[in-house]
Amino acid sequence: MNKFRKLLLSAIFAAFFAQSAYSLEVYREKATASFYGADFHGKRTSNNEKFDMYAYTCANKELPFDTILKVTNLANGKSVQVRVNDRGPFVVGRTVDLSTQAAIDLGMTKAGLATVKLEIVKRGPDTKLSRDTAASAKKIMANIEAKSASTATSKTSSSSSTSSGKTASSSVDAPVPAGKIWDIQVASFGSKSNATEFAKKLSKEGFKPIVFQTTKAGVIRVVVSKVPSSSLNATRQKLRSLGHTDFIVRERKK
């Protein structure tokens, strides 16, 4: 009888867990994941926690805080569960920014990015803080996407990167007019503290002067400012060599 009861209980538990796994809400069948770590370790997240690169957390632009996501790396089948406690990533085409520990478990630290499946294990509460920060993230991304679309249109319509006074980074730099001054936007953030930390990193790498430019949508641009034409190509190459590849160059208006 005891043996029968054990078998019955085992079957019940197996059915329960199978049903739980089956009923996970698919958030994205395919999405791009990135990760962040040391540069932000100990800094405030969007829900006012301190970011811990060794905890299982993530940034997402819209899901309520404390939502639990199951993240599966489609390249190797590895999975991990993370909790949403931050907003981002503020890069076109990316859906989730994972902690370093989660990225390690998924085997994606070398590549930096991974194509993942995202499933909601538990949805967090619909709080005012979640709604407000999600709305702010939406505005920031709308601005970034508009800038990205404008850059793409500019590149398609003209073979000369300097004809519009603006160019995105590329592996081959076109000649630039002599005697002009340029600003190089290296990154953009929704948080002043994150922008400040990134600016400190650029400064340590030898880039000066560094300024902040805040858009109407609240996006904080981190800019290497007042680069003369004679130094522009060298500065672009140095940025790329240090891993800063998504920069935008704008002619500085006098």
Side-chain angles (χ1 to χ4, degrees):
M1 182 65 179
N2 286 339
K3 184 177 180 180
F4 175 76
R5 289 181 62 186
K6 287 181 180 179
L7 289 172
L8 180 60
L9 287 172
S10 296
I12 291 172
F13 280 121
F16 173 78
F17 287 117
Q19 177 62 28
S20 297
Y22 178 79
S23 62
L24 290 182
E25 178 186 347
V26 176
Y27 177 56
R28 294 287 187 274
E29 284 286 357
K30 275 189 177 184
T32 299
S34 51
F35 73 96
Y36 62 133
D39 290 346
F40 303 97
H41 187 67
K43 304 303 177 183
R44 290 289 176 183
T45 60
S46 298
N47 73 340
N48 295 318
E49 295 179 3
K50 282 189 176 182
F51 175 63
D52 182 353
M53 61 187 286
Y54 302 110
Y56 290 91
T57 59
C58 72
N60 174 266
K61 292 181 281 289
E62 63 181 8
L63 289 172
F65 293 133
D66 294 327
T67 293
I68 305 299
L69 280 176
K70 179 182 178 183
V71 186
T72 303
N73 187 341
L74 296 178
N76 56 25
K78 293 181 178 180
S79 295
V80 69
Q81 290 190 14
V82 292
R83 179 174 60 88
V84 178
N85 72 341
D86 206 358
R87 291 300 178 215
F90 295 109
V91 179
V92 176
R94 299 184 192 178
T95 303
V96 66
D97 216 2
L98 303 167
S99 67
T100 298
Q101 188 59 57
I104 290 171
D105 287 10
L106 290 174
M108 57 172 283
T109 54
K110 186 175 181 180
L113 299 174
T115 302
V116 299
K117 180 178 181 180
L118 300 173
E119 299 171 278
I120 297 175
V121 178
K122 178 184 176 183
R123 188 175 287 270
D126 181 24
T127 64
K128 185 177 185 300
L129 181 61
S130 286
R131 292 193 300 272
D132 289 349
T133 53
S136 177
K138 184 177 181 180
K139 289 180 181 178
I140 291 171
M141 278 309 302
N143 184 273
I144 291 172
E145 287 167 354
K147 295 292 184 183
S148 178
S150 175
T151 300
T153 301
S154 175
K155 289 174 70 179
T156 301
S157 62
S158 174
S159 60
S160 172
S161 65
T162 58
S163 62
S164 65
K166 175 180 176 181
T167 175
S169 62
S170 67
S171 58
V172 178
D173 294 320
V176 294
K180 292 185 178 292
I181 303 297
W182 306 84
D183 282 349
I184 306 177
Q185 178 188 323
V186 186
S188 59
F189 298 88
S191 161
K192 182 63 179 291
S193 62
N194 290 347
T196 300
E197 288 303 308
F198 186 78
K200 289 179 181 177
K201 179 181 178 181
L202 283 180
S203 180
K204 288 179 181 178
E205 292 172 342
F207 297 101
K208 294 180 182 179
I210 298 168
V211 301
F212 297 129
Q213 297 174 350
T214 304
T215 69
K216 292 180 180 180
V219 177
I220 304 169
R221 298 170 177 168
V222 181
V223 175
V224 179
S225 186
K226 299 180 181 178
V227 180
S229 289
S230 58
S231 301
L232 181 59
N233 281 347
T235 303
R236 289 192 284 200
Q237 291 299 334
K238 183 178 179 180
L239 283 166
R240 293 191 192 97
S241 71
L242 293 169
H244 308 299
T245 59
D246 294 327
F247 56 80
I248 296 175
V249 178
R250 296 181 177 89
E251 182 181 345
R252 187 174 181 84
K253 304 300 181 182
K254 295 181 181 180

